[in-house]
Amino acid sequence: MSSRGWNRNRIVPLIVALAVLLLIGMYVVFATNRAKADAAARLETAKVELATLQNDAGQLDALRKERLDIRRVLAFLEPGLAPDRKSTFFPTLVAQLQRLADQHRLALENITPTASKAAPASAAPPDGQTATPPAEETVHFSLNMKGTFPDFMAFLKALKTFPKIIEVETIKLTPQIEADDPAGMSPLLGVSMEMNATMLPLATGTTEL
């Protein structure tokens, strides 16, 4: 066998092998590019779906807040023509104070009514004159809670916008010594308050907060 024939026999398989490797490389590049394109398309789809979910979540959150606001308003409403307004006034007062304490991370332990003071009734008006509306009534009660001083101060500040007329008569702060803190380093305070809530007279057919 001549050297030319031997070289040809070696070059042909080498060319075939190179061609196969080239085809494999082209396929790998094509497959890689296709996979990248598919991944990019899936990523864009995921971004669109995420944006849609975030928008839906925002709407649900807004609806949830609106629902809570409506429930708070409905919980505060008291019928102006109730046979005994006091029977609804104090329970809603307790619920409002409980919500306010929860908002400021205070543990409300108890609320106890102690007395009610009604103003003297007005004398009957002379003929032809309009009767004087009934006087307001003050409900006196005591309140005990536990929490930190900053949270309690925030609670007091929030009473300025409380839906009922509240008067704070006395405040007593007592350091709380927890069982796991015998050295008395706990920042918690026990709070005792004497308060008045005024129930104003309502015109016929109206409601109050």
Side-chain angles (χ1 to χ4, degrees):
M1 179 182 295
S2 65
S3 60
R4 181 180 298 177
W6 182 82
N7 290 336
R8 183 183 300 166
N9 291 337
R10 294 192 62 182
I11 291 174
V12 171
L14 182 59
I15 293 174
V16 172
L18 290 174
V20 171
L21 290 175
L22 180 61
L23 290 174
I24 293 175
M26 292 176 63
Y27 175 79
V28 170
V29 172
F30 174 79
T32 302
N33 290 337
R34 180 64 181 271
K36 288 182 178 179
D38 291 342
R42 288 195 296 270
L43 180 60
E44 289 300 322
T45 302
K47 287 181 179 179
V48 172
E49 292 176 351
L50 178 60
T52 302
L53 289 174
Q54 288 175 337
N55 182 61
D56 292 341
Q59 293 180 355
L60 286 174
D61 187 60
L63 290 174
R64 188 179 297 110
K65 290 180 179 178
E66 182 178 354
R67 175 174 172 270
L68 290 175
D69 290 339
I70 292 174
R71 289 186 63 183
R72 289 192 188 98
V73 172
L74 290 176
F76 291 171
L77 291 177
E78 296 175 355
L81 297 178
D84 181 10
R85 282 182 55 217
K86 187 178 177 181
S87 65
T88 59
F89 181 86
F90 192 75
T92 55
L93 171 66
V94 172
Q96 291 162 355
L97 288 171
Q98 179 67 68
R99 278 190 290 269
L100 191 62
D102 292 342
Q103 291 171 9
H104 294 87
R105 300 176 296 277
L106 296 170
L108 185 58
E109 297 178 338
N110 58 71
I111 300 177
T112 306
T114 55
S116 297
K117 301 176 182 178
S122 302
D127 294 339
Q129 295 187 12
T130 304
T132 303
E136 67 274 5
E137 183 176 359
T138 300
V139 178
H140 184 77
F141 61 96
S142 61
L143 178 150
N144 294 288
M145 60 176 60
K146 183 190 297 183
T148 66
F149 183 75
D151 289 340
F152 174 63
M153 294 305 295
F155 174 85
L156 283 182
K157 184 177 180 181
L159 288 179
K160 294 180 180 179
T161 56
F162 196 70
K164 288 182 171 62
I165 300 176
I166 294 291
E167 175 192 8
V168 178
E169 286 190 347
T170 62
I171 300 175
K172 181 181 179 181
L173 303 179
T174 306
Q176 296 289 302
I177 300 178
E178 303 295 331
D180 56 352
D181 183 28
M185 300 301 293
S186 172
L188 294 181
L189 294 173
V191 180
S192 298
M193 304 173 66
E194 297 293 328
M195 307 176 72
N196 292 317
T198 300
M199 183 167 56
L200 296 175
L202 291 179
T204 301
T206 62
T207 58
E208 68 179 339
L209 294 178

